[in-house]
Amino acid sequence: MKIIDLSTPLFSGMTVYPGDPEVKIKVVHTYEKETWELRQLTMGTHTGTHVDAFSHMDEGAETIDQIPLDNFFGPTEVVKKNQKWPKEKGLLFIEEIGLAELDKILSVKPTFIGGMITEELERALLKNKIVTYTGLVNLECLPKQETFIFYGLPLKIKSGDGSPVRAIAIIED
C-alpha cells in the first residue's frame, strides 16, 4: 500500500484567496515555559487544501457538520475531460474543467469532485449536492484511469461552510 499526501502545508503568511483571512500560526505555549507546546491558528475555513459544504455557495443548504461522513472519502479516479468517466466514484481533475462539463459530471453521479475546477462549476456542483475539494496538490503522482481510495475528512465545524482537510490517496500495490 502506498499513501500519497494531497495536502498543501499551512503556514503563516501563505497565499489565500483574495479577501480571505490571512493565515497566522503562532506559538502560545512552549516546552521551556509551560512544559508543552501549543499553537494558535487564525485562518478561514477555505484555506489551503479544503472541502466545501453545500452551504458555501447556497444559503440554507447543508453545512459541513450536517453532511454525512461518507461524502468525504471513497473510490476515486483521476480523469481527463475527453475520456470516459467512471460512475459513482470521486473524480479528480488535473486539467481545468468548467461549467461546460456539468452535464457529463451529473450523468456519472460522482461522490465528490476535486482538482482544477472553475468557481462557476464549483457553485453548480454544490447546488447539486456534490462535495468539492480545492487546493489539492501532488495530483500528478496519482495513477491515471486506475481506482484508488481518497480521504478528505473535514473538521466538524458547527454550521461550517467548509473546512481545511488532510487529503490523502491510498494506492494498493
Side-chain angles (χ1 to χ4, degrees), residues 26-32 34-40:
K26 174 176 112 175
V27 176
V28 293
H29 293 294
T30 64
Y31 296 115
E32 294 78 24
E34 290 87 11
T35 70
W36 68 83
E37 190 169 81
L38 178 89
R39 284 169 176 69
Q40 176 181 345

Side-chain angles (χ1 to χ4, degrees), residues 3-135:
I3 299 174
I4 299 175
D5 190 349
L6 304 175
S7 305
T8 188
L10 298 175
F11 56 91
S12 292
M14 67 186 284
T15 302
V16 296
Y17 188 81
D20 281 5
E22 180 183 338
V23 177
K24 297 176 187 174
I25 302 174
K26 174 176 112 175
V27 176
V28 293
H29 293 294
T30 64
Y31 296 115
E32 294 78 24
K33 189 174 178 192
E34 290 87 11
T35 70
W36 68 83
E37 190 169 81
L38 178 89
R39 284 169 176 69
Q40 176 181 345
L41 307 177
T42 304
M43 62 185 181
T45 51
H46 298 269
T47 297
T49 304
H50 66 275
V51 64
D52 304 307
F54 307 136
S55 64
H56 176 45
M57 295 181 167
D58 189 9
E59 187 175 5
E62 292 90 344
T63 58
I64 205 74
D65 56 319
Q66 296 171 324
I67 299 171
L69 282 175
D70 58 4
N71 285 44
F72 303 110
F73 69 94
T76 305
E77 285 190 27
V78 172
V79 295
K80 292 187 174 187
K81 280 192 240 189
N82 60 357
Q83 74 180 71
K84 184 178 179 184
W85 298 344
K87 293 185 178 203
E88 299 177 358
K89 289 185 180 180
L91 302 177
L92 299 181
F93 292 90
I94 55 176
E95 60 183 333
E96 185 174 272
I97 61 163
L99 211 47
E101 284 75 41
L102 179 62
D103 288 340
K104 184 176 179 182
I105 291 169
L106 295 177
S107 74
V108 297
K109 299 179 176 144
T111 49
F112 50 81
I113 298 282
M116 306 275 299
I117 59 177
T118 65
E119 185 178 322
E120 295 79 20
L121 179 59
E122 178 182 352
R123 184 177 300 278
L125 292 170
L126 294 173
K127 192 165 211 55
N128 281 280
K129 307 295 185 205
I130 299 172
V131 167
T132 58
Y133 288 90
T134 52

